[in-house]
């Protein structure tokens, strides 16, 4: 039977799938190919790019108007600036795929000799030229994972393709599709030879279009999930279907991973007579985040990059630290799939699962090193004493924030991350935290849902703010904001945490008071 795929290209015989050619505008792509254009297809990792390229290759070959070839050049990444080594890897793959797909053994087993004869900066052009002259049909070449290449190897590949462009279609590929995470215009390539940064746009100025592969729509997500129901009879409850879409926003790997986790790994879901419920989906999400599967681990690794920090850190705190975001940084994070940008320019974390992963990853070291016993903050009947927990955090913060902020890469967001690590350590035992980021609004909102033994739950709202100006003004602004958020969440208890970044004595910073606004009692903790 079929299953939800989370590794490698889609095979519709083995996997639940959407038709790969429906994922992009096929007519637009065919029009570019007919016009003999060279263009870019880019999208975040594990979005389905490779599956789409393979489907396009097979369709073109079946129609018989073109000879289509797919080549993945990622294996040349380790060559970095060693162009000879990189070209040897690329040409070996190219000649292998030419024989396997098109039955053409051009230069098979002669790669080293070609590089010696033509030189490392002309060998690819030589092979493609000879291949096109031997083929009876115009060649369409799909080059995947282009932006995995590094330094002069990437520059050489782009320039050889550019040099052969004028000889198409009889002496060079009629159309070339470059595929990767980023658009070629965003490549900033460090050349060891010239000791300078070369932009992708200057090395490859023949690009006609840049096409982006998007996420699944809500309807496509539902269509994929319903294939499982059709084949097994297992029903997704309406709330569960909505939750999968809302948590993932259609990110293909997340949709498949969440569905695979709940239907094929979790014991209740493995019995297909059981319906898939909202609670099962929430539990599956937690399992994915805690396990840090490859896709999520790669995403977390990107958080170490400085250009990622410049965008993500202000989003974590609600404060804008820079004089303004750099367009290149924002574009890079959009290409990675970490954020989305709306028509009005507003940016957001791409989906709620990433919203969870980012602060958890950044505070993982602090959370792991904590020795906090849940029993201190839970009553015998299972209720969470959040006020007592926040009082304990205030003392913890006084004792440990100095050392934590010294080593934290995201220093401005350090207080918020330390609080979330402290809460996560406790809540992992019986609830969940949802994080809301309010960029430019000076706050981070936390919603805690705590499960009680009788099946009921407690609902808490915490708003975190950094003190800007007077304490009174910060409190008044925070009260207005947290009341609105508490009303949205239907909170039982409401808290406001204010971090004072100044050099004042701790006795001045730490305080607790309760205020009432609009009929709602808010407990305030300063630290």
């Amino acid at each position: 039977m079929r299953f939800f795929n989370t590794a490698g290209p889609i095979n519709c015989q083995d996997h639940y799938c959407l038709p790969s050619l429906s994922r992009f505008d096929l007519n637009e792509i065919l029009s570019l190919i007919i016009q003999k254009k060279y263009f870019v297809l880019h999208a975040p990792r594990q979005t389905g790019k490779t599956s789409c390229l393979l489907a396009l290759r097979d369709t073109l070959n079946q129609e018989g108007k073109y000879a289509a070839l797919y080549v993945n050049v990622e294996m040349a990444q380790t060559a970095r600036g060693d162009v000879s080594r990189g070209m040897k890897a690329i040409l070996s793959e190219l000649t292998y795929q030419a024989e396997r797909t098109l039955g053409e053994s051009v230069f098979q087993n002669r790669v080293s000799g070609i590089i010696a004869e033509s030189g490392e900066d002309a060998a690819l052009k030589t092979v493609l030229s000879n291949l096109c002259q031997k083929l009876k049909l115009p060649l369409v070449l799909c080059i995947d994972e282009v932006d995995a290449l590094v330094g002069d190897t990437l520059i050489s590949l782009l320039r050889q393709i550019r040099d052969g462009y004028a000889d198409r279609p009889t002496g060079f590929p009629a159309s070339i599709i470059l595929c990767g995470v980023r658009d070629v215009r965003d490549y900033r390539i460090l050349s060891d030879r010239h000791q300078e940064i070369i932009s992708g746009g200057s090395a490859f100025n023949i690009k006609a279009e840049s096409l982006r592969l998007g996420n699944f729509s809500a309807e496509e997500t539902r269509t994929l999930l319903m294939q499982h129901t059709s084949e097994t009879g297992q029903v997704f409850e309406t709330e569960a279907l909505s939750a999968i879409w809302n948590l993932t926003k259609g990110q293909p790997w997340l949709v498949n991973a969440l569905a695979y986790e709940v239907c094929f790994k979790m014991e209740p879901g493995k019995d297909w007579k059981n319906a898939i419920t909202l609670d099962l989906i929430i539990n599956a999400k937690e399992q994915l985040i805690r396990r840090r599967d490859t896709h999520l681990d790669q995403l977390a690794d990107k958080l170490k990059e400085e250009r990622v920090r410049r965008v993500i850190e202000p989003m974590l705190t609600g404060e804008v630290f820079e004089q303004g975001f750099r367009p290149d940084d924002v574009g890079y994070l959009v290409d990675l799939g970490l954020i989305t940008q709306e028509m009005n320019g507003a940016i957001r974390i791409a989906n709620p699962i990433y919203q969870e992963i980012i602060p958890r990853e950044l505070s993982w070291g602090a959370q792991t090193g904590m020795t906090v016993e849940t029993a201190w903050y839970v009553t015998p009947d299972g209720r969470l004493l959040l006020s007592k927990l926040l009082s304990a955090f205030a003392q913890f913060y006084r004792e440990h924030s100095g050392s934590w902020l010294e080593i934290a890469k995201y220093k401005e967001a350090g207080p918020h991350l330390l609080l979330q690590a402290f809460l996560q350590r406790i809540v992992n035992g019986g609830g969940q935290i949802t994080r809301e980021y309010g960029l430019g609004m000076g706050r981070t909102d936390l919603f805690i849902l705590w499960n009680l033994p009788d099946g009921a739950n407690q609902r808490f709202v915490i708003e975190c703010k950094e003190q800007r100006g007077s304490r009174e003004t910060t409190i008044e602004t925070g009260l207005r904001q947290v009341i609105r958020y508490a009303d949205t969440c239907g909170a039982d208890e409401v808290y406001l945490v204010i971090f004072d970044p100044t050099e004042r004595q701790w006795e001045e910073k730490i305080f607790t008071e309760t205020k009432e606004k609009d009929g709602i009692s808010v407990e305030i903790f300063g630290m």
Side-chain angles (χ1 to χ4, degrees):
M1 66 162 296
R2 298 193 297 169
F3 56 92
F4 295 101
N5 182 43
T6 59
I10 290 289
N11 179 340
C12 289
Q13 291 182 337
D14 297 330
H15 311 133
Y16 301 130
C17 67
L18 300 173
S20 293
L21 295 182
S22 71
R23 298 287 315 286
F24 46 44
D25 188 336
L26 181 59
N27 289 331
E28 181 179 19
I29 286 181
L30 293 177
S31 177
L32 290 169
I33 291 172
I34 290 169
Q35 295 169 25
K36 300 187 286 293
K37 297 290 182 66
Y38 287 12
F39 59 99
V40 174
L41 176 67
H42 67 104
R45 293 204 177 279
Q46 294 177 299
T47 306
K49 302 185 297 296
T50 298
S51 298
C52 291
L53 289 179
L54 292 173
L56 178 64
R57 177 201 66 184
D58 293 343
T59 298
L60 291 173
N61 284 331
Q62 288 165 10
E63 289 179 347
K65 296 179 182 178
Y66 295 94
L69 190 60
Y70 167 88
V71 179
N72 187 316
V73 298
E74 187 174 18
M75 82 296 291
Q77 182 184 51
T78 58
R80 303 190 71 80
D82 187 340
V83 180
S84 179
R85 184 179 157 205
M87 281 300 141
K88 183 175 181 180
I90 292 169
L91 293 179
S92 294
E93 178 65 10
L94 174 63
T95 55
Y96 167 75
Q97 291 294 343
E99 182 170 22
R100 179 175 178 271
T101 306
L102 305 176
E104 290 291 347
S105 57
V106 59
F107 295 133
Q108 188 76 349
N109 302 320
R110 288 195 53 229
V111 168
S112 296
I114 298 166
I115 293 174
E117 294 167 10
S118 302
E120 58 194 27
D121 288 318
L124 176 62
K125 179 183 176 183
T126 298
V127 170
L128 288 176
S129 177
N130 278 272
L131 177 59
C132 290
Q133 291 174 43
K134 292 185 67 175
L135 292 171
K136 296 179 181 178
L137 297 172
L139 177 63
V140 175
L141 178 61
C142 306
I143 305 179
D144 201 1
E145 301 288 356
V146 173
D147 55 349
L149 302 182
V150 179
D152 289 308
T153 299
L154 175 55
I155 295 170
S156 180
L157 178 139
L158 294 175
R159 285 182 170 166
Q160 287 186 66
I161 294 173
R162 186 183 66 183
D163 289 346
Y165 180 75
D167 297 329
R168 74 197 199 291
T170 56
F172 214 64
S175 181
I176 291 180
I177 306 171
L178 296 182
C179 188
V181 171
R182 292 171 292 156
D183 188 353
V184 68
R185 72 164 184 265
D186 298 324
Y187 298 176
R188 292 176 55 78
I189 314 162
L190 177 60
S191 171
D192 291 333
R193 294 174 177 173
H194 304 292
Q195 294 299 305
E196 62 180 341
I197 296 290
I198 296 176
S199 71
S202 64
F204 194 76
N205 56 8
I206 52 174
K207 180 196 73 174
E209 295 281 352
S210 290
L211 309 179
R212 193 174 193 275
L213 191 65
N215 289 340
F216 296 156
S217 66
E219 184 56 34
E220 286 174 328
T221 300
R222 186 180 185 281
T223 297
L224 184 74
L225 298 170
M226 287 300 98
Q227 292 179 23
H228 178 72
T229 299
S230 297
E231 295 191 15
T232 67
Q234 187 170 43
V235 175
F236 288 84
E237 292 185 354
T238 302
E239 286 186 332
L241 285 173
S242 298
I244 292 175
W245 163 251
N246 289 329
L247 289 170
T248 66
K249 298 304 179 187
Q251 204 289 331
W253 186 89
L254 289 178
V255 171
N256 278 281
L258 204 54
Y260 183 82
E261 184 74 22
V262 76
C263 296
F264 290 87
K265 296 194 71 173
M266 295 173 62
E267 288 302 323
K270 285 164 66 175
D271 184 346
W272 293 330
K273 293 190 293 294
N274 295 331
I276 301 300
T277 65
L278 173 61
D279 286 344
L280 287 176
I281 296 299
I282 298 301
N283 289 337
K285 178 208 68 171
E286 286 296 313
Q287 292 297 327
L288 288 181
I289 293 174
R290 291 179 190 177
R291 201 167 58 235
R292 299 168 76 191
D293 285 350
T294 302
H295 172 80
L296 303 182
D297 196 44
Q298 289 175 340
L299 179 147
D301 187 63
K302 293 294 181 183
L303 297 174
K304 301 173 185 176
E305 298 182 17
E306 177 60 19
R307 62 194 305 194
V308 173
R309 184 206 64 78
R310 288 196 295 262
V311 176
I312 294 295
E313 187 166 28
M315 300 181 78
L316 290 173
T317 64
E319 304 284 356
V320 180
F321 304 133
E322 312 287 342
Q323 293 302 311
F325 290 117
R326 304 179 187 184
D328 287 352
D329 291 346
V330 172
Y332 178 58
L333 268 70
V334 169
D335 282 349
L336 290 177
L338 267 172
I339 65 173
T340 58
Q341 186 168 29
E342 299 176 1
M343 293 295 292
N344 64 4
I347 61 174
R348 304 184 188 281
I349 302 297
N351 57 67
I353 290 182
Y354 289 177
Q355 281 184 290
E356 292 287 314
I357 290 167
I358 290 170
R360 287 203 204 186
E361 181 64 28
L362 292 173
S363 61
W364 184 85
Q367 181 185 331
T368 303
M370 289 178 183
T371 54
V372 187
E373 295 296 331
T374 307
W376 285 91
Y377 312 105
V378 179
T379 65
D381 63 351
R383 300 185 70 82
L384 179 64
L385 302 175
L386 189 56
S387 178
K388 185 178 179 182
L389 181 60
L390 289 174
S391 294
F393 175 74
Q395 183 60 34
F396 178 89
Y397 185 73
R398 177 175 184 170
E399 295 174 6
H400 299 287
S401 61
S403 57
W404 158 250
L405 294 177
E406 277 184 18
I407 63 172
K409 184 174 178 64
Y410 286 52
K411 294 186 184 301
E412 297 285 353
H416 301 72
L417 293 171
L418 196 58
L419 172 60
Q420 292 183 50
F422 191 89
L423 294 172
Q424 192 74 56
R425 186 67 185 267
I426 298 299
V427 173
N428 274 349
Q432 64 188 70
I433 302 178
T434 302
R435 298 156 175 87
E436 295 288 342
Y437 310 151
L439 180 61
M441 303 182 73
R443 72 176 198 263
T444 300
D445 299 319
L446 307 175
F447 172 64
I448 298 176
L449 186 69
W450 180 259
N451 303 316
L452 296 172
D454 62 1
N457 52 59
Q458 294 173 271
R459 305 166 75 87
F460 305 95
V461 159
I462 305 174
E463 183 161 301
C464 307
K465 287 188 69 66
E466 185 169 305
Q467 182 171 321
R468 303 281 183 177
S470 71
R471 176 185 293 178
E472 292 73 19
T473 301
T474 303
I475 289 176
E476 185 58 33
T477 302
L479 286 173
R480 290 197 302 269
Q481 293 171 337
V482 76
I483 291 301
R484 285 198 298 268
Y485 185 56
D487 183 60
T488 301
C489 298
D492 302 315
E493 297 178 24
V494 184
Y495 298 89
L496 176 61
V497 176
I498 296 176
F499 295 107
D500 184 344
T502 67
E503 297 297 322
R504 294 188 184 96
Q505 296 295 314
W506 281 105
E507 284 74 13
E508 298 178 63
K509 293 183 181 183
I510 293 181
F511 70 93
T512 304
E513 62 179 292
T514 301
K515 287 183 176 283
E516 188 169 303
K517 187 174 181 63
D518 298 339
I520 297 177
S521 177
V522 181
E523 193 166 355
I524 305 167
F525 288 86
M527 56 193 76

